[in-house]
Amino acid sequence: MDRNGASVRLALGAAVALPGAFLGLFFAYPLGSILARGLTGDGSVELRPGVLWFSVWQAGASTALTLALGLPLAWVVARFDFPGRALVRALVVVPFVLPTVVVATAFLTLLPEGQQRGILPILAAHVFFNVAIVVRIVGGYWARIHPRLWEAAATLGAGPASRLRTVTLPVLAPALAAAAALVFLFSFTSFGVVLILGGPTRSTLETEIYYQAARMFDLRAAAVLSLVQLGCVGAIVGVAGRLDRCVAGARMVAPESDVLVRAQGRQRVVVAGILGAAAVGLGAPLAALVERSLSAPGGYGLTFYRALGEETPALLVVPWRAALNSLAFAAVATGMALVVGGIVAAAVARSRATWLDQFAMLPLGASAVMLGYGFVIAFDDPPLDLRSSPLLVPVAQALVAVPFVVRILTSALRSIDERLRDAAAVLGASRARVIREIDLPLVLRSFGLAAGFAFAISLGDFGATVFVARSDWPTVPVAIFRFLGRPGAENAGEAAALSVVLMTMTMAAMLAADRLGGGRRGL
Amino acid sequence: MLRVDNVSVAFDGCQALAGTRIEVAEGETLAVLGPSGSGKTTLLRVIAGLTRPDCGRVLLDGRDVTAVPAHARGIGLMFQDGVLFPHRDVAGNVEFGLRIAGVPREQRRRRVAEVLELVGLRGFEQRPVATLSGGEQQRVALSRALAPAPRALLLDEPLGSLDGPLRARLLDDLAEVFEAIGLTAVHVTHDVGEAFALGHRVAVMLEGRVVQCAPPDELWTRPRDEWTARFLGMTNVCELDGRRVVVRPEAVRLRRGDDVTVLSVERRGAVVHVRVRGDDGDEFEAVTTELDHPRAGGRVTIDIDPAGVVELEERPSPG
């Protein structure tokens, strides 16, 4: 028995060593390089004023707006049964997985000339992205609250307004806080949206790191900014992680059939109104994007799509090569993220140490831009002169995707009833057999979801890729950014066309993942 | 055939089992009866090999299996509320143990049909487990545990999540199945009726120890101490000539008279429980099957059958 135990431990050790080495080399080492660069060296660093303040208040405003606009939709999805409810739940997530560059391009085409850049477009884009978080987290929680809670309050004399104040909001509080923390985090670290929609004067910590490192070549200033960013993000991740556990701990599970009701009378109007507003708000930017990509100089047509196959001064290669690059890089990155994230998730799910959870969340907060910048300064000199290696792109993308993979798989593994494993053991299954018979089949669905997310994130990553992609190996988001940086309707049209291509690839990936994982359960 | 010898288990400083001993003979059903938190479930997990005891031994056919892991013990366990594998249909659940053991497909199919027949679920093979009712799920759980023909079967409150007539019917079925295949079983429950109905012998557990272990009739006629008597539902505990005794309710006979006041009358199925209070303040509970029973507030006289008076031991104060 002891020999068995030892060999299991050995296998576990080997399994942990692989992601450990990967994260050590490609995450800790670049981060350490940033630290070293930021804490040493002499001369004062001149930072543009107002950057930190703008980062904080735009994130705060984005969060407040997202909650205000997302809650009605969360309420409708959580409590009402209507035709196409499952479709609505699925469609709401689409903006969340869309590449930032695509969304920024969409808002550029949607907004009237002269108002395309500034704070309002930034806030609108952040709401567009993050409504999914509010609907999924708050709505999911709302849908599990047993209606008897309201019924009990009603029999005790509480009217609708009083029920909202005394029952609904307090019960929802942990979910609201958790969703708010996540929206704040994503808005705080938002890069592509702020860079493209912010214009030359609006700068957050994230875009300022890019500006200092890639435009001013002031690596020291970028490192100092990165440290500030890391501190802020560490604090937000800490708070978010704590709030997240509150949500997971709550148990008021009611079957969906008990919670959902059909809207009646005036409610029908309200529900229809909210759904209609959501459809317009979430659909208009994407519709505008598609419309722009098709509106060629002489009427609607595929001119801009055809132009993707021709040489352009914006890029060193023909644009459609960028699509092939993106697919190849994303495939490799997804593989890496699943292996590393899968092993980390297995370790996290088995252990009770919460710091491991937080640690796995860190790359999420360390932000894509910081990773990309860390790569630039860490792998610039021998012996690790990898700057010219195209492999750095999928590695960077995998790192951005790993936290999502870990979160999805960890919660899937944790939700497996421990007694299922006991039941299998009692029926003769050894530890390895239990993993094969119970754990793997039950997380398969989530594995597909994780793969889809990893692929979509890798496809759409802009912050890290823009640092490490070679000019002769651009990805689609980088190519779109190059087109947007040049004047003229021709370039704008090709940017829109390329955005539609990227959007289609992303949605196809998510759909495929959903099929892959969902098929076998028959649910 | 199965022996648990002086087993102790502590979780986070809390003693779940404290020197527990039980013994089960071949083909016998032992009911383990106790309130929640008395260590019943831990006892089953130790026997199954899912929990390693801090000290003590588990013997199967005289062989020490304490160090043998759960999957190599060949003991079946039926969990409270079933714990069916959600990703497999009924047949997939039932044949699980056979598949692990490498039994060929055709043989598996036959065995699955056989055990499903035994629990009254013929033809349920292809049903997804999510579509089953609570009672059906428990039956599938039972057949899953029975399919690999375990040396012994452990049942952890198998009827705990069911209620009413369904519970009664499954109870009958369990007794029938055990009888039919001569199974060696340990059945854990907090329900006295269930323990008496299924157990050849009943082991009463409190705070990690077996307080008393006896056949149902003996347990009822000779509860060892006050706690056991009260747990079995006897409330007539009093001092008699300086000794602590319990008077079994059926030994308290009611007749016309004017000595005690009837406090309450409560019908529980076929019998009627009558609570009376004497003028000295002593309260007694009697049971009667008479339809012409006294009414609350009336006056009656009671006689006590000396055969129903049981002397109680002082229970050694728990560690």
Side-chain angles (χ1 to χ4, degrees):
Chain A
M1 255 25 272
D2 275 338
R3 252 190 57 209
N4 193 356
S7 64
V8 165
R9 265 197 297 282
L10 203 70
L12 274 178
V16 169
L18 174 71
F22 184 86
L23 293 176
L25 179 60
F26 292 115
F27 178 64
Y29 175 57
L31 218 63
S33 306
I34 295 178
L35 276 174
R37 197 62 80 99
L39 295 176
T40 61
D42 38 44
S44 62
V45 171
E46 200 80 21
L47 295 179
R48 286 203 280 176
V51 168
L52 180 60
W53 171 236
F54 181 69
S55 305
V56 172
W57 89 253
Q58 67 81 19
S62 300
T63 307
L65 270 176
T66 309
L67 280 180
L69 296 175
L71 277 179
L73 192 56
W75 172 67
V76 167
V77 172
R79 303 226 72 92
F80 292 101
D81 189 18
F82 51 88
R85 180 172 169 274
L87 189 69
V88 170
R89 274 169 55 88
L91 283 180
V92 159
V93 186
V94 168
F96 185 69
V97 296
L98 284 184
T100 53
V101 180
V102 170
V103 174
T105 314
F107 274 86
L108 278 184
T109 56
L110 179 71
L111 295 168
E113 197 79 36
Q115 287 171 25
Q116 292 166 321
R117 292 187 161 84
I119 181 64
L120 284 180
I122 292 179
L123 295 185
H126 284 168
V127 170
F128 178 82
F129 264 121
N130 294 322
V131 155
I133 295 179
V134 175
V135 172
R136 278 310 180 89
I137 294 185
V138 181
Y141 197 79
W142 212 330
R144 289 192 329 203
I145 301 175
H146 208 289
R148 271 190 226 130
L149 215 52
W150 282 278
E151 289 163 9
T155 59
L156 294 168
S162 160
R163 286 206 293 274
L164 181 70
R165 195 165 41 79
T166 58
V167 178
T168 310
L169 287 180
V171 168
L172 282 183
L176 284 171
L182 268 186
V183 175
F184 190 89
L185 179 66
F186 285 132
S187 304
F188 191 84
T189 57
S190 158
F191 174 64
V193 164
V194 179
L195 189 68
I196 294 171
L197 295 178
T201 54
R202 303 281 184 188
S203 198
T204 60
L205 280 172
E206 196 80 348
T207 56
E208 191 67 8
I209 294 170
Y210 171 76
Y211 176 76
Q212 293 292 350
R215 293 285 160 82
M216 307 305 288
F217 301 107
D218 187 345
L219 297 184
R220 177 94 204 293
V224 172
L225 284 164
S226 298
L227 291 184
V228 177
Q229 168 85 346
L230 199 62
C232 295
V233 161
I236 306 170
V237 168
V239 171
R242 189 153 304 172
L243 294 172
D244 205 42
R245 268 198 299 286
C246 295
V247 179
R251 286 268 177 273
M252 288 162 295
V253 186
E256 227 171 39
S257 53
D258 283 6
V259 178
L260 294 179
V261 294
R262 289 202 165 273
Q264 282 168 354
R266 230 180 38 191
Q267 269 179 345
R268 294 176 72 100
V269 182
V270 177
V271 167
I274 290 170
L275 287 173
V280 170
L282 297 178
L286 302 182
L289 184 67
V290 174
E291 196 263 354
R292 181 74 188 80
S293 74
L294 292 172
S295 50
Y300 287 117
L302 294 174
T303 316
F304 293 131
Y305 289 93
R306 268 187 230 109
L308 296 182
E310 293 156 17
E311 292 205 6
T312 160
L315 297 172
L316 292 180
V317 297
V318 287
W320 66 262
R321 290 288 311 207
L324 292 187
N325 291 344
S326 272
L327 285 176
F329 286 147
V332 176
T334 303
M336 291 188 206
L338 285 181
V339 171
V340 173
I343 294 170
V344 172
V348 169
R350 293 269 157 136
S351 92
R352 263 178 261 162
T354 51
W355 64 265
L356 245 170
D357 270 29
Q358 306 262 353
F359 185 74
M361 283 277 282
L362 211 57
L364 185 79
S367 90
V369 170
M370 213 188 302
L371 276 176
Y373 168 57
F375 273 30
V376 170
I377 60 174
F379 302 125
D380 208 13
D381 319 298
L384 285 169
D385 187 5
L386 304 171
R387 271 308 304 284
S388 52
S389 162
L391 210 64
L392 268 193
V393 175
V395 168
Q397 293 175 344
L399 276 171
V400 177
V402 157
F404 288 90
V405 174
V406 170
R407 275 181 72 88
I408 293 171
L409 293 184
T410 303
S411 66
L413 281 169
R414 284 219 173 115
S415 69
I416 298 176
D417 189 339
E418 185 58 36
R419 294 176 313 161
L420 287 173
R421 300 192 183 101
D422 287 346
V426 170
L427 289 165
S430 61
R431 263 176 79 174
R433 196 76 195 260
V434 170
I435 291 175
R436 212 176 87 205
E437 298 280 351
I438 307 297
D439 292 84
L440 285 184
L442 287 179
V443 298
L444 188 73
R445 189 185 162 78
S446 304
F447 215 73
L449 184 69
F453 255 94
F455 196 81
I457 287 166
S458 306
L459 268 184
D461 175 72
F462 177 56
T465 308
V466 74
F467 277 99
V468 290
R470 283 169 27 167
S471 322
D472 54 342
W473 284 87
T475 64
V476 177
V478 172
I480 294 171
F481 184 62
R482 299 267 178 269
F483 276 119
L484 288 178
R486 302 177 77 86
E490 180 72 15
N491 286 314
E494 285 199 46
L498 215 41
S499 293
V500 172
V501 169
L502 185 55
M503 177 167 79
T504 312
M505 293 198 302
T506 309
M507 279 153 83
M510 291 306 286
L511 255 171
D514 203 46
R515 283 284 144 77
L516 193 79
R520 270 186 63 174
R521 293 283 292 276
L523 287 168
Chain B
M1 183 245 167
L2 171 68
R3 207 169 96 204
V4 172
D5 197 8
N6 210 11
V7 160
S8 294
V9 175
F11 299 113
D12 304 324
C14 174
Q15 199 73 29
L17 293 179
T20 309
R21 299 160 198 273
I22 58 165
E23 205 161 332
V24 191
E26 185 86 47
E28 182 190 34
T29 300
L30 176 75
V32 177
L33 175 68
S36 54
S38 58
K40 306 179 306 263
T41 297
T42 308
L43 176 63
L44 283 199
R45 291 181 61 88
V46 167
I47 300 173
L50 294 169
T51 297
R52 228 13 205 295
D54 299 334
C55 64
R57 297 183 306 161
V58 178
L59 293 107
L60 199 58
D61 289 329
R63 199 167 68 91
D64 186 346
V65 296
T66 318
V68 177
H71 64 86
R73 272 194 202 186
I75 294 182
L77 173 57
M78 180 180 167
F79 289 81
Q80 197 172 359
D81 58 49
V83 193
L84 299 180
F85 301 130
H87 55 301
R88 302 197 177 282
D89 60 9
V90 168
N93 267 278
V94 176
E95 67 163 9
F96 189 90
L98 302 169
R99 213 159 44 77
I100 298 290
V103 175
R105 181 186 300 266
E106 184 52 29
Q107 225 169 313
R108 286 202 312 258
R109 201 189 52 74
R110 272 203 309 270
R111 177 69 178 153
V112 168
E114 191 180 307
V115 287
L116 282 179
E117 170 97 56
L118 192 67
V119 299
L121 290 180
R122 195 161 71 167
F124 271 58
E125 278 89 342
Q126 311 303 322
R127 293 274 293 271
V129 293
T131 64
L132 302 176
S133 72
E136 287 166 350
Q137 288 189 16
Q138 289 305 82
R139 286 161 196 266
V140 173
L142 177 62
S143 37
R144 182 177 70 179
L146 288 175
R151 312 283 337 276
L153 179 64
L154 314 175
L155 303 100
D156 187 3
E157 306 250 6
L159 310 176
S161 53
L162 307 176
D163 48 38
L166 188 59
R167 187 186 169 92
R169 207 170 69 222
L170 201 53
L171 192 63
D172 285 347
D173 291 355
L174 274 179
E176 224 171 89
V177 168
F178 290 178
E179 213 56 56
I181 55 183
L183 196 67
T184 307
V186 180
H187 181 116
V188 152
T189 177
H190 64 266
D191 184 273
V192 178
E194 198 178 312
F196 283 2
L198 282 177
H200 295 124
R201 285 183 305 141
V202 177
V204 181
M205 265 189 95
L206 175 67
E207 289 168 356
R209 285 191 180 82
V210 175
V211 183
Q212 187 173 5
C213 184
D217 284 346
E218 188 187 327
L219 195 64
W220 181 254
T221 48
R222 302 214 54 82
R224 182 171 293 165
D225 57 23
E226 180 174 344
W227 183 86
T228 306
R230 287 191 187 277
F231 190 71
L232 296 178
M234 304 178 204
T235 55
N236 301 333
V237 180
C238 58
E239 299 283 336
L240 191 69
D241 304 335
R243 298 168 306 152
R244 199 82 176 142
V245 299
V246 62
V247 182
R248 293 202 310 273
E250 72 271 20
V252 180
R253 306 266 159 74
L254 304 165
R255 63 182 164 83
R256 269 174 227 292
D258 188 22
D259 295 320
V260 295
T261 309
V262 178
L263 292 176
S264 65
V265 178
E266 187 190 327
R267 174 168 287 283
R268 295 183 203 160
V271 295
V272 175
H273 290 244
V274 179
R275 215 168 165 77
V276 299
R277 182 192 288 152
D279 296 331
D280 53 0
D282 278 350
E283 286 187 17
F284 281 94
E285 186 181 9
V287 294
T288 174
T289 52
E290 299 288 327
L291 276 178
D292 183 26
H293 55 79
R295 307 289 157 190
R299 298 279 289 176
V300 291
T301 294
I302 54 169
D303 298 319
I304 291 178
D305 179 354
V309 180
V310 185
E311 191 175 341
L312 299 173
E313 288 174 16
E314 282 296 317
R315 193 164 64 85
S317 58

